[in-house]
């Protein structure tokens, strides 16, 4: 029913006026577009094909719309979504890179270009094969990723010619047809709509020549049936509900019938439904004339077109109000997390794709929650790490609050392992932190009563983590974790500080086994000189040392104990350590990756992947170094790993109580006696290794 | 058929699928008077390939008009301003039109059907829960306020992986047990969804035609 109080249409015949089609751009479509832009398109702003979903009007008082849902963005070649209320219609999406680009789009030109495609499809006969091409639409948009908004406009191009379309008659189908015919038509329409093949075809023709039954035919069947007489109806799915106007699709349909099938006068059927049933009372039958226009068949001809949605009469195009999708409501739970990952996703646009899945699934074990531990944990979260295990045995003291960047004064006296958790969560709500208060079992240091438990706990922690960061304050406390990592072939990253020099490295892979026979247990103990890829192993933190770990603190003066270090050094070393880790993660060989040397190796997408980085701020030196694993290393050599594998914690306890045992085991005692050893790589900085420690 | 599991108010996946198909067929066979579309079976897609065993039932494109204006049935609202006239086209206002989609999804943890739904403004913006509540008839609101089993939460749609509103399934098996008790033994599991919908539909203002419960 037409509303009473509105402008009545002029008497017939009159220029054809249609009811505009509207778009329903679902918020989830906007969300999908945001992710597509962020994760796939990057800076690419070329037009992409999308799919809209069209339906005939189903409600007595509401006209149907073209829906854009997340499925719309699935590439048409892979998109099989479609059903009776989701007739797929091809469209084009132009998503610009910035708001200026969006505003500067020549919307008039773009509309005509789309109209030209429709004209081409009419002339080439493509419409007969894919009638929905007549409904081709255009979306221009700008995805404001930072503010979670999408700005867009939709156009439904409709061809305009110099010749005018005239409406000759328009009445409810139930009034035009005899009861019998109406029944027959209704039955045929129902069949058409329940067949998967035909229900997605919004344009068809109705053969009424036979008295007994009415047949609905596809456009592509036109050639076979041209002689069937004059009783034809050209039907289309009409999105409109109004009794006084046909829907938008009729205009292009008439253009098609005139240009391709040379008809100057057509009888048309505006097909509408109620619920899921054909509704012939609401459906309209009418007649329109369209004298053939001139000049359109020129190959360069660009047709005029109308169709920008929301354009009001009298308004200039530029004042057209932009539509906006607010995505804030879409996923409030995930929004904070996505904000925090934005910078990493953007790195993928021009730099290198950060493997966020891997980073967020990696559990990072941080040994030490002091100056280095605070910095490294923060940086790892910034890199997208979301699973942290922090181990520390100390308490926050007043002097820590300045140097250890996560703590505040109310944390004083609280165990670091307790204090650090809320500070990490405050910064990154999505992070999963486990914090454990315990001392790392350390050779040569006073043994606590829980040392055996601690050893077992550390074994479990290392085994259940993907990477271990060695950030403790003494050199010797890194021995046991280093051994565990070598034994488990686990990634390990070390950072250490001197007074004005710093050091960051990744440990090499653990020893591989000599594959012999099928006895796994026997094979485990036959260690090879190489890693499992058969490459020479890179060294660990201890590979260049020729002494066993001893208590390096007790017999020192205070300035030596605290290893006085220049402020800022910890930040630099932590930055290198976290960066080294992400590069290692991105390398296809992972832990087995060879060590790059600056100046001699070419860099991968994430940059060089050195083995060790050694820097000094006094001279502004930065060196990338590479050293192979030493066969007499006290932490990762085959002799030590073999001993650990056969004797387990007995061996570890022996070392803790009697560190020089390691020197005998690895042959260091012999080596030192022979006195003519030389250091492998880092000759220039020979003796200050043991001074690397943080606080 | 499958009597034992249905009697305690739950459904197996197979029974759900059978019941869903029965609902789709029955619904399309009856005259739905308030212009509701048909329910459709939607197979889940894994890597673009439709699954043969897993899916859900969808009723999409349900219109609700005029939460802001007067009653739904009045014939004479739109004021002249609501229609924009152009040389070649007119545009009707859809400002008061809301579009709803309903899905019935099988819950593996509760072994019962769960209703998921979303509401859209005519332009596509998602409706908030408050806006949705304004669209509901008063008896639905009463039900939502008073009943223990009907509370609406926002959760990830199991097959679409984006948040939809849902009626929490806890308690479903309890009242379904009571409801099914009254039904005859015959094809109890096939009628499960129709019976379930008669209760759940009320909570979200979905008018279920009575004919759905008549045995043909």
């Amino acid at each position: 029913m037409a509303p009473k109080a509105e402008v009545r249409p002029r008497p017939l015949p009159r220029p054809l006026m249609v009811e505009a089609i509207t778009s329903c751009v679902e918020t989830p479509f906007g969300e999908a577009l945001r992710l597509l832009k962020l994760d796939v398109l990057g800076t690419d702003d070329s037009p992409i094909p999308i799919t809209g979903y069209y339906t005939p009007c189903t409600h007595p008082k509401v006209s149907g719309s073209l829906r854009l849902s997340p499925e719309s963005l699935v590439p048409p070649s892979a998109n099989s979504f479609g059903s009776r209320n989701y007739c797929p219609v091809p469209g084009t999406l132009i998503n610009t890179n910035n708001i200026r680009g969006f505003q500067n789009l020549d919307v008039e030109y773009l509309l005509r270009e789309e109209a030209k495609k429709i004209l081409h499809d009419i002339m080439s006969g493509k419409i007969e094969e894919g009638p929905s091409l007549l409904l081709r639409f255009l979306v221009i948009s700008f995805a404001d990723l930072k503010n979670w908004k999408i700005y867009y406009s939709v156009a439904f191009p409709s061809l305009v010619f110099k010749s005018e379309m005239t409406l000759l008659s328009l009445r409810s189908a139930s009034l035009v047809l005899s009861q019998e015919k109406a029944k027959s038509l209704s039955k045929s329409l129902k069949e058409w709509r329940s067949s998967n093949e035909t229900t997605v075809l919004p344009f068809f023709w109705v053969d009424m020549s036979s008295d007994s039954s009415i047949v609905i035919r596809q456009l592509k069947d036109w050639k076979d049936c041209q002689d069937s007489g004059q009783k034809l109806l050209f039907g289309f799915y009409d999105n409109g509900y109004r009794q006084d106007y046909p829907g938008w699709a009729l205009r292009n349909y008439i253009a098609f019938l005139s240009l391709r099938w040379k008809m100057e006068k057509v009888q048309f059927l505006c097909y509408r439904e109620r619920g899921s049933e054909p509704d012939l009372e609401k459906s309209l039958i009418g007649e329109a004339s369209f004298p053939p226009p001139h000049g359109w068949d020129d190959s360069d001809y660009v047709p005029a077109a109308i169709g920008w949605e929301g354009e009001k009469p009298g308004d200039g195009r530029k004042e057209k109000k932009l539509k906006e999708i607010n995505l804030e409501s879409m996923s409030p739970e995930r929004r904070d997390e996505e904000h925090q990952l934005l910078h990493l996703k953007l790195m993928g646009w021009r730099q290198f794709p950060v493997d966020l899945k891997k980073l967020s699934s990696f559990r990072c074990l941080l040994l030490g929650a002091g100056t280095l531990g605070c910095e490294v944990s923060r940086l790892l979260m910034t890199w997208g790490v979301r699973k942290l295990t922090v181990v520390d045995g100390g308490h926050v003291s007043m002097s820590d609050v300045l140097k250890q960047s996560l703590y505040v004064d109310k944390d004083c006296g609280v165990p670091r392992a307790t204090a650090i958790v809320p500070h990490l969560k405050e910064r990154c709500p999505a992070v999963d932190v486990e914090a454990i208060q315990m001392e790392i079992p350390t050779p040569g240091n006073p043994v606590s009563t829980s040392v055996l438990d601690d050893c077992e706990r550390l074994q479990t922690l290392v085994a259940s983590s993907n990477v271990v960061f060695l950030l403790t304050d003494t050199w010797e406390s890194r021995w046991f974790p280093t051994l565990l990592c070598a034994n488990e072939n686990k990634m390990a990253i070390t950072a250490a500080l001197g007074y004005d020099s710093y050091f960051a490295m990744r440990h090499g892979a653990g020893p591989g086994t000599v594959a012999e026979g099928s006895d796994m247990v026997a094979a485990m103990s036959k260690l090879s000189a190489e890693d499992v890829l058969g490459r020479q192993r890179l060294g660990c933190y201890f590979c260049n040392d020729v002494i066993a770990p001893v208590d390096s603190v007790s017999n020192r003066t205070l300035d030596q104990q605290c290893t006085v270090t220049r402020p800022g050094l910890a930040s630099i070393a932590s930055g290198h350590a976290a960066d080294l880790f992400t590069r290692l993660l991105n390398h296809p060989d992972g832990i087995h990756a060879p060590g790059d040397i600056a100046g001699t190796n070419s860099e991968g997408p994430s940059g060089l992947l050195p083995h060790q980085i050694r820097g000094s701020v006094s001279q502004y030196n930065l060196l990338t170094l590479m050293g192979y694993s030493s066969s007499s290393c006290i932490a990762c050599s085959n002799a030590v790993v073999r001993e650990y594998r056969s004797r387990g914690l007995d061996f570890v306890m022996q070392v803790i109580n009697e560190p020089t045992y390691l020197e005998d085991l690895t042959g260091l005692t012999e080596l030192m006696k022979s006195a003519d050893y030389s250091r492998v790589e880092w000759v220039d900085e020979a003796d200050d290794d043991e001074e690397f420690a943080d606080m | 058929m499958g009597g034992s599991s249905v009697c305690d108010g739950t459904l197996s996946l197979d029974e759900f699928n059978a019941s869903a198909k029965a609902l789709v067929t029955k619904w399309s066979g009856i005259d739905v008077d308030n212009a509701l579309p048909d329910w459709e079976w939607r197979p889940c897609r894994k890597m673009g390939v439709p699954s043969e065993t897993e899916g859900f039932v969808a009723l999409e494109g349900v219109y609700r008009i005029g939460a802001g204006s007067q009653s739904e049935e009045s014939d004479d609202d739109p004021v002249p301003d609501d229609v924009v006239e152009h040389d070649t086209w007119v545009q009707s206002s859809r400002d008061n039109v809301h579009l709803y989609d309903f899905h019935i999804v099988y819950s593996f943890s509760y072994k019962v059907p769960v209703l998921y739904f979303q509401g859209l403004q005519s332009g596509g913006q998602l409706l908030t829960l408050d806006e949705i509540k304004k669209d509901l008839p008063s008896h639905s609101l009463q039900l939502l306020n008073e009943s223990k089993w009907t509370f609406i939460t926002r959760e990830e749609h199991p097959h679409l992986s984006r948040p939809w509103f849902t009626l929490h399934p806890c308690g479903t098996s309890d009242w379904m047990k009571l409801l099914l008790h009254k039904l005859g033994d015959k094809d109890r599991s096939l009628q499960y969804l129709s019976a379930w919908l008669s209760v759940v539909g009320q909570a979200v203002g979905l008018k279920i035609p009575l004919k759905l419960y008549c045995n043909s």
Side-chain angles (χ1 to χ4, degrees):
Chain A
M1 275 300 187
K4 285 172 194 166
E6 73 183 48
V7 193
R8 289 277 167 203
R10 279 177 276 165
L12 294 162
R14 60 172 184 259
L16 175 69
M17 284 178 73
V18 291
E19 175 170 3
I21 183 170
T22 54
S23 65
C24 174
V25 183
E26 299 175 21
T27 307
F29 167 85
E31 173 71 5
L33 174 59
R34 191 182 72 84
L35 291 175
L36 181 73
K37 176 71 180 165
L38 201 50
D39 297 340
V40 181
L41 297 179
T43 54
D44 184 0
D45 59 358
S46 46
I48 53 173
I50 58 170
T51 308
Y53 296 99
Y54 183 75
T55 168
C57 175
T58 57
H59 192 277
K61 275 182 231 156
V62 183
S63 49
S65 52
L66 185 95
R67 281 180 84 159
L68 290 183
S69 59
E71 288 80 14
S72 298
L73 289 171
V74 179
S77 53
N79 192 344
S80 58
F81 185 69
S83 64
R84 54 177 294 149
N85 287 326
Y86 289 87
C87 301
V89 168
T92 303
L93 171 69
I94 299 174
N95 186 49
T96 61
N97 274 323
N98 50 53
I99 190 77
R100 184 61 64 85
F102 179 71
Q103 286 159 342
N104 286 346
L105 285 176
D106 185 343
V107 290
E108 208 57 54
Y109 169 79
L110 292 173
L111 184 66
R112 291 169 75 114
E113 282 301 301
E114 291 305 301
K116 195 172 160 184
K117 287 184 197 165
I118 294 176
L119 190 59
H120 267 283
D121 291 341
I122 289 177
M123 282 152 65
S124 68
K126 267 192 183 166
I127 299 295
E128 279 100 321
E129 297 304 319
S132 57
L133 288 165
L134 278 178
L135 281 164
R136 180 187 282 285
F137 64 99
L138 171 68
V139 182
I140 55 171
S141 65
F142 163 61
D144 186 347
L145 301 175
K146 256 189 121 169
N147 294 310
W148 293 67
K149 285 208 165 72
I150 309 264
Y151 300 97
Y152 70 97
S153 278
V154 184
F156 301 98
S158 192
L159 297 166
V160 174
F161 298 95
K162 286 199 177 103
S163 164
E164 206 177 62
M165 295 178 186
T166 307
L167 184 68
L168 305 174
S169 70
L170 187 68
R171 285 170 78 199
S172 159
S174 61
L175 297 177
V176 175
L177 300 173
S178 69
Q179 233 174 10
E180 200 182 331
K181 288 228 150 150
K183 216 170 168 186
S184 174
L185 177 62
S186 200
K187 183 165 164 274
S188 305
L189 285 166
K190 223 173 153 172
E191 277 164 20
W192 175 271
R193 288 287 281 156
S194 54
S195 146
N196 286 339
E197 188 200 347
T198 52
T199 196
V200 293
L201 303 175
F203 298 91
F204 53 89
W205 55 278
V206 185
D207 184 350
M208 312 233 289
S209 54
S210 153
D211 286 334
S212 54
S213 67
I214 288 176
V215 190
I216 301 178
R217 313 291 298 261
Q218 298 188 31
L219 297 192
K220 66 177 181 192
D221 297 333
W222 178 246
K223 284 190 204 84
D224 320 332
C225 313
Q226 286 200 28
D227 302 324
S228 61
Q230 294 303 305
K231 291 181 174 171
L232 293 176
L233 272 181
F234 293 92
F236 68 101
Y237 294 177
D238 190 342
N239 68 292
Y241 77 94
R242 303 170 61 100
Q243 291 298 97
D244 42 4
Y245 300 101
W248 187 256
L250 180 60
R251 288 180 49 89
N252 280 352
Y253 197 22
I254 290 178
F256 162 77
L257 294 171
S258 161
L259 303 184
R260 177 80 180 162
W261 289 355
K262 311 291 175 211
M263 294 183 178
E264 291 185 28
K265 213 186 237 187
V266 289
Q267 283 214 301
F268 58 86
L269 166 70
C270 306
Y271 174 67
R272 295 166 178 183
E273 295 183 342
R274 182 183 174 91
S276 294
E277 300 286 317
D279 183 345
L280 290 193
E281 261 175 55
K282 216 171 51 168
S283 297
L284 305 173
I285 288 179
E287 193 175 20
S289 70
F290 183 48
H294 297 289
W296 58 270
D297 43 359
D298 208 326
S299 61
D300 296 332
Y301 178 74
V302 179
I306 54 168
W308 281 105
E309 194 188 354
E311 191 192 0
K312 290 192 174 169
D315 281 5
R317 176 78 19 95
K318 294 206 170 63
E319 287 139 47
K320 183 162 57 74
K321 200 174 164 240
L322 277 185
K323 292 201 183 184
E324 179 183 312
I325 305 176
N326 189 346
L327 299 175
E328 295 268 352
S329 65
M330 186 59 202
S331 45
E333 308 83 3
R334 283 186 309 201
R335 194 177 57 228
D336 295 343
E337 172 67 356
E338 300 233 349
H339 267 303
Q340 295 198 317
L341 292 176
L342 184 64
H343 66 283
L344 294 172
K345 290 195 167 181
L346 293 179
M347 277 172 73
W349 283 19
R350 288 174 210 260
Q351 313 299 328
F352 77 101
V354 182
D355 191 340
L356 284 175
K357 260 198 188 137
K358 210 165 172 187
L359 280 160
S360 62
S361 65
F362 249 54
R363 181 160 286 281
C364 298
L365 175 63
L366 274 61
L367 302 178
T371 316
L372 289 169
C374 283
E375 297 285 328
V376 170
S377 57
R378 248 174 1 96
L379 286 169
L380 288 178
M381 295 193 305
T382 316
W383 268 110
V385 168
R386 290 296 178 264
K387 289 181 178 168
L388 293 174
T389 306
V390 182
V391 173
D392 195 288
H395 293 70
V396 180
S397 69
M398 199 58 207
S399 66
D400 294 340
V401 171
L402 262 184
K403 289 176 286 186
Q404 306 184 354
S405 59
L406 288 173
Y407 305 115
V408 293
D409 64 349
K410 72 172 170 52
D411 295 326
C412 287
V414 178
R416 287 199 193 95
T418 310
I420 197 168
V421 177
H423 293 307
L424 292 173
K425 284 258 178 202
E426 276 158 20
R427 283 166 171 78
C428 178
V431 75
D432 158 16
V433 197
E434 239 179 273
I436 291 141
Q437 189 186 5
M438 85 176 215
E439 296 289 348
I440 312 280
T442 302
N445 281 36
V447 175
S448 70
T449 47
S450 64
V451 67
L452 202 60
D453 290 345
D454 291 346
C455 285
E456 282 172 358
R457 223 150 143 207
L458 197 62
Q459 281 178 320
T460 322
L461 286 173
V462 169
S464 59
S465 303
N466 302 97
V467 58
V468 181
F469 286 83
L470 306 177
L471 311 167
T472 47
D473 53 0
T474 61
W475 169 75
E476 60 271 22
S477 61
R478 300 168 192 229
W479 173 80
F480 185 37
T482 301
L483 167 58
L484 287 175
C485 291
N487 180 53
E488 299 239 357
N489 197 30
K490 189 86 53 178
M491 288 184 187
I493 308 277
T494 282
L497 305 172
Y499 160 65
D500 59 5
S501 56
Y502 59 89
F503 175 68
M505 76 174 291
R506 59 187 173 97
H507 294 194
T513 48
V514 182
E516 235 176 50
S518 57
D519 186 351
M520 282 301 286
V521 185
M524 289 292 275
S525 58
K526 282 187 182 140
L527 297 178
S528 123
E530 282 108 20
D531 66 17
V532 290
L533 295 187
R535 293 180 183 161
Q536 194 172 359
R537 295 165 51 205
L538 294 180
C540 76
Y541 182 57
F542 291 91
C543 276
N544 295 63
D545 293 302
V546 288
I547 52 161
V550 290
D551 185 346
S552 65
V553 179
S554 302
N555 56 354
R556 303 242 175 143
T557 61
L558 186 61
D559 66 322
Q560 287 174 319
Q561 273 183 38
C562 293
T563 322
V564 173
T565 178
R566 294 174 79 118
L569 222 51
S571 306
I572 299 173
S574 305
H576 283 305
D579 204 83
L580 201 53
F581 160 64
T582 56
R583 290 174 196 218
L584 187 57
L585 207 65
N586 266 290
H587 195 283
D589 294 344
I591 192 172
H592 304 283
D596 291 339
I597 304 283
T600 57
N601 293 88
S602 58
E603 56 179 295
S606 53
L608 279 184
L609 176 57
H611 177 220
Q612 304 165 9
I613 300 157
R614 187 168 281 248
S616 153
V617 289
S618 60
Q619 295 293 314
Y620 290 110
N621 285 334
L622 184 70
L623 293 170
T624 52
L625 302 164
M626 199 265 289
Y628 289 115
S629 159
S630 157
S631 60
S632 47
C633 173
I634 55 159
C636 77
S637 64
N638 288 358
V640 176
V641 173
R642 195 182 302 119
E643 194 74 359
Y644 172 69
R645 285 193 185 170
S646 62
R647 291 180 54 210
L649 290 183
D650 277 352
F651 160 67
V652 176
M653 290 310 291
Q654 188 183 356
V655 172
I656 287 174
N657 291 313
E658 183 199 332
T660 49
Y661 171 61
L662 277 177
E663 294 180 8
D664 300 337
L665 180 69
T666 56
L668 280 176
T669 321
E670 286 298 306
L671 190 65
M672 278 187 286
K673 275 186 199 145
S674 67
D676 61 343
Y677 67 87
S678 59
R679 292 216 158 182
V680 197
E681 289 277 344
W682 341 331
V683 188
D684 47 346
E685 296 194 328
D687 276 319
D688 45 35
D689 250 343
E690 56 271 44
E691 282 173 20
F692 275 106
D694 98 301
M695 21 202 316
Chain B
M1 53 177 298
S4 60
S5 78
V6 176
C7 278
D8 68 3
T10 62
L11 273 179
S12 70
L13 178 65
D14 286 345
E15 286 167 335
F16 171 80
N17 289 348
S19 188
K21 272 155 201 161
L23 172 70
V24 169
T25 317
K26 186 138 198 211
W27 185 281
S28 71
I30 55 177
D31 247 350
V32 184
D33 29 76
N34 36 0
L36 283 177
D38 280 353
W39 286 92
E40 274 183 334
W41 174 258
R42 288 270 173 82
C44 302
R45 278 160 207 279
K46 281 176 188 146
M47 317 289 290
V49 184
S51 156
E52 292 195 1
T53 51
E54 262 187 79
F56 55 91
V57 223
L59 178 75
E60 299 189 340
V62 177
Y63 289 101
R64 276 186 196 147
I65 314 169
S69 72
Q70 302 90 27
S71 87
E72 208 172 293
E73 299 306 323
S74 101
D75 247 343
D76 42 26
D77 341 57
V79 264
D81 290 359
D82 278 347
V83 179
V84 176
E85 221 180 18
H86 198 266
D87 303 344
T88 43
W89 50 269
V90 293
Q91 171 112 52
S92 332
S93 163
R94 291 161 49 92
D95 285 349
N96 285 329
V97 175
H98 291 167
L99 190 63
Y100 282 84
D101 297 332
F102 298 93
H103 289 176
I104 304 175
V105 181
Y106 183 69
S107 159
F108 284 93
S109 33
Y110 288 88
K111 297 195 169 29
V112 294
V114 184
L115 187 77
Y116 285 81
F117 62 100
Q118 68 172 2
L120 302 168
Q121 284 168 22
S122 58
Q125 267 298 351
L126 283 177
L127 297 174
T128 64
L129 188 54
D130 285 341
E131 287 167 322
I132 289 174
K133 282 185 172 166
K134 278 182 199 152
D135 280 353
L136 292 177
S138 52
H139 70 264
S140 295
L141 288 173
Q142 205 180 342
L143 196 62
L144 285 176
N145 286 334
E146 289 172 4
S147 257
K148 260 182 250 164
W149 59 270
T150 48
F151 58 95
I152 297 176
T153 54
R154 199 154 178 251
E155 267 164 50
E156 189 115 316
H157 187 299
H159 301 302
L160 304 180
S161 2
R162 44 178 195 265
W164 276 48
F165 290 110
T166 177
L167 271 175
H168 203 275
C170 65
T172 301
S173 61
D174 292 338
W175 54 258
M176 275 311 292
K177 193 161 59 183
L178 296 175
L179 204 60
L180 289 171
H181 186 66
K182 290 183 185 165
L183 287 178
D185 273 347
K186 190 179 147 243
D187 292 345
R188 205 177 256 178
S189 71
L190 284 183
Q191 290 182 34
Y192 188 108
L193 273 191
S194 315
W196 172 84
L197 198 57
S198 69
V199 178
V200 165
Q202 284 180 44
V204 293
L206 205 53
K207 285 182 203 158
I208 311 298
L210 275 175
K211 284 184 195 143
L212 194 63
Y213 313 112
C214 303
N215 287 318
S216 47

